[in-house]
Amino acid sequence: MKDPHERMDPELAEALKAVPMTHTGVFDLSDLEGTRAGVRAMAESIAATIPDEPSVTAHEIQVPRAEGPDVPILLLRPRNAPGPLPVILWFHGGGQVLGFAAQDAPWLKPLCAALGCAIVSVDYRLAPETPAPGAAEDGYTAYRWISDNAADLGLDPARIGLAGQSGGGGIAAATALLIRDIGAATPLFQLLMYPMLDDRNTTDSSHEITDIGIWDRATNVLAWKSILGDRVGTDGVTSYCAASRATDLTGLPPTFIGVGELDLFRDENLDYAARLRAQGVPVELHLYPGAYHAFDLFAPRSHLATSFHHTLNDYLVRNFAKAPETATA
């Protein structure tokens, strides 16, 4: 088989040349505080170059809980869209060790306006300060609060979907399992963009992707060590920490998974999709040839990124169009 660099889509390869790299790739997890500051600065710099979406409001809310700290969320909603609005509960990327709720606002706001939906971005706690399953517990807390307060917020409790990117996709998947096992209302869907699902790092793709620089094996191993500590790779890891550990996938919401061929997460994503489908969960799966991890962020104007965003937007439109009684049946 050809080297991953030789199999890379030409537009994505060109975009990769302009990406600043440390000696360990884009993200140096050995200097977590410095990398976190860099991610925030980069996100704020990008946001400053993008015109704001005036038709969308943003409100920061502290979601309370009886035990544990409040969960900060960022509620985005179109000003004049008729309610009750469908909702995307969003989990940002960053390998569960980086990032913050507002980092995706520059592209979530236009999505919010285009779909006429609310988007709730969860500022879940990061590892290693909060080991797993703390982030999934934050996701569950936010989901229950939005569901319980939907009427007062002008939202539709029967049309709340989970969505997330990379590490956030893994948290969305873990949150869906926690929601099911506690017995809360089933989300409308889970939309997982190249999700981080498996701490064991035993798949072919986890060994294959070592030097692209976006999220390679060494970076992923270090991230999971931060998330799980000494539990990583052992039998003590639950599905609320790493969704691939779940053996019973019945009763989960319809699922969208999109991932690149040259993504370290490729095989764990394909496996999760196949097991969901085998256990009766409707699955829409998209595999993008020649695409590395988070290709749509690093090459947003490429043909593959445009196709990917069109596909996931269409999925959202189709699922939000479902009648509430159908969605919750």
Side-chain angles (χ1 to χ4, degrees):
M1 182 180 292
K2 290 183 179 179
D3 176 272
H5 291 274
E6 297 177 7
R7 292 148 54 198
M8 196 175 293
D9 175 87
E11 285 185 298
L12 303 191
E14 189 63 29
L16 191 62
K17 294 177 183 177
V19 177
M21 297 280 182
T22 73
H23 67 287
T24 60
V26 175
F27 305 108
D28 179 8
L29 299 191
S30 66
D31 177 20
L32 197 53
E33 289 307 312
T35 301
R36 284 175 176 172
V39 166
R40 184 174 288 272
M42 181 173 65
E44 292 173 349
S45 174
I46 292 171
T49 67
I50 299 174
D52 195 25
E53 178 55 65
S55 67
V56 174
T57 62
H59 299 282
E60 295 180 359
I61 300 172
Q62 296 290 326
V63 174
R65 61 178 152 195
E67 298 180 4
D70 294 349
V71 179
I73 61 173
L74 180 66
L75 172 60
L76 307 176
R77 58 184 307 151
R79 293 181 188 275
N80 301 314
L85 301 176
V87 184
I88 299 171
L89 190 68
W90 174 255
F91 298 87
H92 67 79
Q96 305 182 35
V97 297
L98 305 168
F100 56 103
Q103 72 182 29
D104 300 320
W107 73 272
L108 290 178
K109 285 183 176 181
L111 180 65
C112 182
L115 297 182
C117 71
I119 300 178
V120 176
S121 184
V122 182
D123 212 355
Y124 56 86
R125 292 168 295 171
L126 301 176
E129 294 84 351
T130 301
E137 291 168 352
D138 291 351
Y140 173 78
T141 298
Y143 178 77
R144 281 302 299 265
W145 188 85
I146 291 294
S147 299
D148 293 344
N149 294 275
D152 293 338
L153 295 168
L155 308 177
D156 186 349
R159 291 191 294 164
I160 304 174
L162 309 180
Q165 196 172 47
S166 189
I171 295 167
T175 299
L177 289 159
L178 192 55
I179 290 168
R180 180 199 64 182
D181 293 348
I182 290 176
T186 305
L188 186 63
F189 56 79
Q190 56 175 346
L191 186 149
L192 310 178
M193 301 170 67
Y194 32 83
M196 180 183 189
L197 301 174
D198 197 338
D199 65 292
R200 291 166 292 193
N201 286 288
T202 56
T203 65
D204 288 345
S205 60
S206 74
H207 288 280
E208 175 187 348
I209 307 304
T210 59
D211 67 347
I212 290 177
I214 301 300
W215 194 263
D216 295 329
R217 179 179 178 83
T219 303
N220 196 52
V221 167
L222 192 55
W224 275 115
K225 180 68 174 178
S226 294
I227 296 163
L228 295 172
D230 292 340
R231 293 176 292 159
V232 68
T234 70
D235 293 339
V237 177
T238 72
S239 60
Y240 312 135
C241 300
S244 281
R245 295 301 196 108
T247 55
D248 178 9
L249 301 177
T250 59
L252 290 172
T255 302
F256 175 105
I257 296 178
V259 65
E261 174 202 4
L262 305 180
D263 193 321
L264 176 146
F265 298 143
R266 178 194 69 215
D267 291 343
E268 64 196 61
N269 288 187
L270 296 180
D271 172 73
Y272 201 63
R275 292 195 292 121
L276 283 164
R277 180 57 267 170
Q279 296 187 44
V281 178
V283 175
E284 182 168 325
L285 172 65
H286 297 271
L287 178 64
Y288 291 85
Y292 44 72
H293 186 69
F295 64 95
D296 59 312
L297 298 182
F298 290 97
R301 295 180 179 83
S302 65
H303 285 83
L304 281 180
T306 300
S307 174
F308 182 38
H309 286 161
H310 177 81
T311 299
L312 67 87
N313 288 4
D314 177 69
Y315 182 86
L316 292 167
V317 169
R318 286 186 281 114
N319 279 271
F320 280 149
K322 292 178 180 177
E325 61 268 22
T326 300
T328 58

